[in-house]
Amino acid sequence: MNEVKELFDMVTDQKEPDQDAWKDQEERQRRTARNRRIGAFAAAAVIVVLAVWAVALLGRSEEGSPASPADPNPLKTTTHYYVDVTTRDRSPLPIALPGARLAEVSPGGSAIAWNTCCGNDHLYVSSLDGSSDVVTVTPQGLDGYDPTWIDGETVLFQGRVSATSQLGDLYAANVTTGEMHKVVDLPHDSRPAWIVISDVSPDGTTVLFHLPRGKPGHEEWDLWTVPLAGGKPKMLRRDAGFAAYAPDGSIVFLDHPSGFAAKQIWTMNGDGSNARRLVTGGTFSYPSVSPDGSMVAYGNEGKAEVVDVATGAVTPFDVFSEAPTWDGNDTLIVDNGYHTI
């Protein structure tokens, strides 16, 4: 592994960042979207106050009527929604994902994996219909981030030793047996603010991931690949990150991302050739390719959007989600506006 570390050291800056860099960067990314929400929240607050007043008056007129019992099942609390990309209709997920970030649905569509943030975080898996218990994938002492399904039972993720500022490594874990192994050993410099976004090629042979370089708040990202079976990583493209494979092996990525967002989303061949712009003119985050490769979902200033790969037509959705994810080719999963990624 020394050769791997030497290779990374040649292209990454090893300077110590501020321990709160991740949270600071997330706050800058969300600020624009949050300011737009303040006015709406204020108006909603007035409505809530009036509603409470009306309920109180009604309650006085119906003294003695029994109160409804509290729902004892917290999994019934709505935290995320399905959104139909054609009709834009929204319906609640049957399972709650409190604090969930960077969720991804399994290839068969029966399960969902996600992580929490920020500090003492674990990787979780549950059935989408809530019929099974939530499974904690990561062992005690290891935080987990950005789950990507390798197959119906195995997830790839970034693991970081809990209570440390190390960047962490990439692991693969079987969610049924709990067996876990390291895929690639990353340089263990202190970079608590950075999450390693990764994906697996459609043929299951290659891991795509990004790494940061530069000072916190001024970092730059590079895309790397490494064989899933193990081997020597190689840089695929500089100044690119937050990438995802399409079914045909092409790659969608943020071009010149700053912090956790970029002004353009690009696509290129799996070998890095034929790079071209897909969508521009926004503040884009976390692109996600539909299972059939025809569309890409992403966040734009905190709200979900979808772009048609063939035509470039953009469909905005009036729902807050910095990292919408796909459940089939026609449905997005988004948070409810209070659990943004």
Side-chain angles (χ1 to χ4, degrees):
M1 288 298 179
N2 289 333
E3 292 182 356
V4 174
K5 293 183 180 296
E6 291 175 3
L7 181 64
F8 283 126
D9 292 344
M10 292 174 60
V11 296
T12 55
D13 188 347
Q14 305 281 329
K15 295 184 179 180
E16 178 78 16
D18 190 288
Q19 295 295 313
D20 295 324
W22 191 348
K23 295 180 181 178
D24 291 342
Q25 291 171 54
E26 283 188 316
E27 181 61 25
R28 286 195 300 271
Q29 183 182 340
R30 296 198 190 104
R31 192 172 295 131
T32 300
R34 186 172 60 243
N35 288 342
R36 293 183 177 182
R37 285 179 247 172
I38 290 176
F41 287 167
V46 173
I47 295 173
V48 170
V49 170
L50 291 176
V52 170
W53 175 74
V55 170
L57 290 179
L58 182 61
R60 292 193 187 99
S61 66
E62 297 181 357
E63 289 184 3
S65 60
S68 299
D71 189 340
N73 185 1
L75 292 182
K76 291 184 179 180
T77 302
T78 299
T79 62
H80 289 68
Y81 288 88
Y82 292 116
V83 176
D84 188 298
V85 297
T86 302
T87 66
R88 306 191 190 185
D89 291 338
R90 190 175 69 166
S91 58
L93 243 64
I95 182 173
L97 308 175
R101 302 185 177 206
L102 302 178
E104 183 169 301
V105 177
S106 64
S110 62
I112 187 168
W114 73 93
N115 64 262
T116 54
C117 181
C118 300
N120 295 320
D121 303 304
H122 287 289
L123 212 63
Y124 301 96
V125 170
S126 174
S127 60
L128 261 177
D129 60 8
S131 61
S132 66
D133 294 335
V134 174
V135 175
T136 304
V137 177
T138 44
Q140 288 295 324
L142 188 71
D143 294 342
Y145 303 98
D146 186 43
T148 296
W149 291 90
I150 298 174
D151 53 43
E153 290 189 343
T154 311
V155 292
L156 176 73
F157 67 96
Q158 176 199 9
R160 174 185 293 147
V161 177
S162 299
T164 71
S165 60
Q166 294 180 354
L167 183 64
D169 302 310
L170 294 182
Y171 294 86
N174 186 299
V175 301
T176 302
T177 66
E179 295 180 0
M180 187 174 71
H181 69 274
K182 188 180 295 185
V183 175
V184 60
D185 187 1
L186 301 180
H188 288 187
D189 53 337
S190 296
R191 294 182 181 270
W194 287 279
I195 186 168
V196 177
I197 300 296
S198 60
D199 201 4
V200 179
S201 61
D203 63 7
T205 64
T206 304
V207 174
L208 173 72
F209 63 98
H210 70 201
L211 282 179
R213 54 184 165 83
K215 298 179 180 179
H218 304 280
E219 70 284 347
E220 296 174 297
W221 303 87
D222 302 319
L223 281 178
W224 296 72
T225 60
V226 67
L228 180 60
K232 186 175 182 179
K234 66 177 182 179
M235 184 183 291
L236 181 66
R237 185 179 178 89
R238 291 178 68 88
D239 300 318
F242 300 85
Y245 277 110
D248 63 359
S250 62
I251 296 170
V252 174
F253 61 95
L254 296 185
D255 179 66
H256 285 80
S258 176
F260 291 78
K263 297 183 181 299
Q264 297 183 349
I265 298 176
W266 283 48
T267 184
M268 64 182 176
N269 296 340
D271 61 3
S273 63
N274 193 29
R276 56 217 182 266
R277 184 173 58 238
L278 182 61
V279 62
T280 187
T283 304
F284 304 122
S285 59
Y286 300 105
S288 175
V289 185
S290 63
D292 64 3
S294 65
M295 293 177 285
V296 175
Y298 51 88
N300 184 4
E301 296 188 358
K303 286 192 174 183
E305 287 187 356
V306 168
V307 60
D308 186 289
V309 175
T311 66
V314 173
T315 302
F317 297 88
D318 192 23
V319 291
F320 289 102
S321 187
E322 294 174 357
T325 192
W326 292 93
D327 182 19
N329 295 308
D330 305 311
T331 306
L332 294 177
I333 293 178
V334 302
D335 57 73
N336 65 5
Y338 299 93
H339 298 271
T340 52
I341 303 297

